[in-house]
């Protein structure tokens, strides 16, 4: 079913009784050309582009729980392409361009809202670093505007500009950045993949890989073995434990990141604002809730919940930046398991096992990457060569000394 | 999380800095023929287990000792806390 304004109107008149399920619930077939492990945003986008761009439809997505039950449905929904390094920035800008046309492309309302992202700076060296980053963004075709204090005052008059320790001096603004509705992104990709014949199989945990003569020929699952010519793992926070089943050790640690939402308030935060002196970022949802977060908890974990010291730290950072939020009440908080790579940058690559592919290491920034990750992973799977913007996202880059050390911070700030 | 420090008793985990897997105590031999590969694996690759794991915590805001903490990454339950020095000595290191 294609969605349109006309359809919404007709359904409204008919009491909304004519809507159909958005995707099928098929039983797994004994074999597929390609199996995508993990039904988060990246896995669904990969399946969608495999079907749409490469005509590969004998594909299954195996999800251990329900679609988008992992980080796809837990993130703070920020999309942006304000990276610095040549290994990263063209990839994230491709993602930004895909976001801009996504809803027309998959005929689903993902609530992509380009309300702007501003990273604040608080000192002269930080301004210079942001100017350099802005130039790198321009060179990759992205948009960036370096704002001085006056510019920020016009955008966000409510900040604590004269904070004694970290006065706000300006910011790097990406007007095309913003937010999107995380669940709807996953649902849109799921529906588009399903319509083209991809089997989306839920409650189907992958429990092992069938490897014969160094080649992956299928997977073991909670619903029985399934054969495949290619197996594409895409399980974000579960990367370590899933790839261990194929005997691989990864340059990845699993950590928890928490997020917070306040009660609904009148519109006040214009876009996404990030603190440059502590780790704190905030936006306001369309329902009015302040959506914010900060650092990972800092110890390895697979539990989807964090601890209180980080709650305190995030709230302190928020109060230092915008004291006005002090009286807003916190409604909800939750955690998601992050696949923290050692240099903070992701992987889209083949592995040492033939026919087994890996996509992961997204850290706390993989939501914005969803379209390009799916696009480039589908390219790799279909053509067996990396997409031109993803050539540096290799699993062996640490061994070769070619890290993509965007911020000098992966799982730990002291790793490189 | 509360870490039961062998010398100081129960302490809030927020007093500590986290380093990672306790296998980091076993630094590879820099003179070995395979040193380059060994250090790559030591520095960058992780077991990243789901379940019980042993890891290094540094009591930065306390007595500045290194501890080996046995903790479950699925439940955050801590079952054992040792001085890293004792663990290293028991493993045959000279300090
Ligand atoms: C609190 C929080 C805030 C964040 N904020 C942002 C942000 O503002 N901007 C941004 O860009 N990024 C953000 N991120 C990061 C982003 O959410 C992730 O990087 C991204 O969602 C990861 O890709 P995914 O959607 O495919 O992951 P997931 O949705 O986690 O997908 C992985 C899937 O694999 C499944 N799986 C695991 N093991 C198996 C198995 N054995 N068999 C079958 N299936 C399995 C899981 O159930 C899961 O559904 C945030 C993350 C968190 C937790």
């Amino acid at each position: 079913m294609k969605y349109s304004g006309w359809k919404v109107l007709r359904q409204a008149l008919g009491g909304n009784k004519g809507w159909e399920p958005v995707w099928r619930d098929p039983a797994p077939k004994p074999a597929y050309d390609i199996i995508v492990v993990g039904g988060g945003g990246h896995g669904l986008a990969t399946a969608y582009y495999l079907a749409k761009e490469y005509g590969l439809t004998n594909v299954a997505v195996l999800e251990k729980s329900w679609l988008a039950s992992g980080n796809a449905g837990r993130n703070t929904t920020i999309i942006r392409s304000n990276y610095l390094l040549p290994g990263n920035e063209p990839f994230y800008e491709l993602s930004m361009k895909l976001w801009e046309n996504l809803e027309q492309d998959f005929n689903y309302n993902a609530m992509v809202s380009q309300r702007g992202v501003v990273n604040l700076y608080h000192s002269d060296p930080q301004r210079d670093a942001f100017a350099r980053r802005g130039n790198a963004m321009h060179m990759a075709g992205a948009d960036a505007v370096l704002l001085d204090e006056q510019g920020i005052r016009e955008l966000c008059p409510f900040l604590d500009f004269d904070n004694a320790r970290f006065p706000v001096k300006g910011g790097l603004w990406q007007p095309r950045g913003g937010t999107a509705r995380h669940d709807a992104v996953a649902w849109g990709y799921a529906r588009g993949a399903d319509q083209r014949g991809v089997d989306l199989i839920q409650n189907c945990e992958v429990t092992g890989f069938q490897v014969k003569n160094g080649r992956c020929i299928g997977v073991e699952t909670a619903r029985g073995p399934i054969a495949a010519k290619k197996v594409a793992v895409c399980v974000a926070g579960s990367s370590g434990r899933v790839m261990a089943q194929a005997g691989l050790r990864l340059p990845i640690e699993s950590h928890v990141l928490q997020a917070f939402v306040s009660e609904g308030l009148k519109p006040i935060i214009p876009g996404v604002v990030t603190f440059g002196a502590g780790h704190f970022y905030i936006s306001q949802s369309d329902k009015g809730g302040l959506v914010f977060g900060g650092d990972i908890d800092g110890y390895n974990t697979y539990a989807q919940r964090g601890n209180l010291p980080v709650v305190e730290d995030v709230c302190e950072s928020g109060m230092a930046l915008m004291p006005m939020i002090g009286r807003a009440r916190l409604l909800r908080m939750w955690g998601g398991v992050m696949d923290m790579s050692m240099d903070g940058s992701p992987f889209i690559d083949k592995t040492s096992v033939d026919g087994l592919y890996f996509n992961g290491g997204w850290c706390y920034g993989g939501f914005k990457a969803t379209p390009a990750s799916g696009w480039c992973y589908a390219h790799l799977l279909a053509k067996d060569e990396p997409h031109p913007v993803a050539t540096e996202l290799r699993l062996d880059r640490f061994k070769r000394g070619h890290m993509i050390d965007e911020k000098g911070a992966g799982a730990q700030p002291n790793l490189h | 999380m509360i870490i039961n420090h062998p010398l100081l008793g129960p302490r809030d985990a927020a007093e500590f800095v986290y380093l990672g897997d306790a296998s980091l105590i076993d630094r590879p031999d820099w003179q070995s023929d395979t040193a380059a590969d060994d250090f790559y694996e030591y520095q960058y690759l992780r077991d990243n287990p789901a379940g019980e794991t042993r890891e290094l915590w540094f009591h930065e805001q306390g007595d500045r000792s290194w501890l080996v903490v046995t903790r479950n990454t699925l439940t955050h339950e801590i079952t054992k806390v040792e001085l890293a020095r004792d663990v290293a000595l028991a493993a045959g290191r000279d300090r």
Side-chain angles (χ1 to χ4, degrees), chain B residues 30-76:
Chain B
W30 63 277
Q31 287 180 311
S32 142
D33 289 342
T34 56
D37 281 348
D38 297 344
F39 271 96
Y40 156 67
E41 290 186 13
Y42 170 81
Q43 175 82 340
Y44 292 113
L45 299 187
R46 297 288 185 271
D47 287 339
N48 199 18
E52 193 160 275
T53 177
R54 296 172 80 224
E55 49 198 22
L56 287 163
W57 292 72
F58 177 55
H59 200 193
E60 190 183 44
Q61 317 227 1
D63 70 345
R64 303 185 71 75
S65 59
W66 283 96
L67 305 182
V68 173
V69 176
T70 306
R71 196 176 58 93
N72 190 314
T73 56
L74 292 167
T75 61
H76 296 168

Side-chain angles (χ1 to χ4, degrees), chain A residues 240-241 249-254 298-303 305 307 309 342 398-399 403 412 414-416, chain B residues 1 12 14 18-20 37 40-41 43-51 55 57 71 73-76:
Chain A
R241 65 205 283 198
R249 293 175 83 217
L250 302 175
I252 287 178
E253 289 181 10
S254 294
Y299 45 82
N300 287 32
T301 175
Y302 284 92
R305 61 187 161 79
N307 274 298
M342 294 298 143
F398 299 99
K399 191 159 195 171
M403 312 47 171
Q412 295 214 6
N414 58 357
L415 275 175
H416 329 275
Chain B
M1 287 185 295
D12 192 326
Y18 181 82
L19 184 67
D37 281 348
Y40 156 67
E41 290 186 13
Q43 175 82 340
Y44 292 113
L45 299 187
R46 297 288 185 271
D47 287 339
N48 199 18
E55 49 198 22
W57 292 72
R71 196 176 58 93
T73 56
L74 292 167
T75 61
H76 296 168

Side-chain angles (χ1 to χ4, degrees), chain A residues 226-260:
Chain A
I226 309 177
K229 296 189 183 122
K230 292 180 179 175
V231 175
V233 175
C234 202
V235 294
S238 301
S239 294
R241 65 205 283 198
V242 170
M243 295 308 277
Q245 295 165 1
L248 299 179
R249 293 175 83 217
L250 302 175
I252 287 178
E253 289 181 10
S254 294
H255 287 253
V256 63
L257 179 70
Q258 304 190 55
F260 310 85

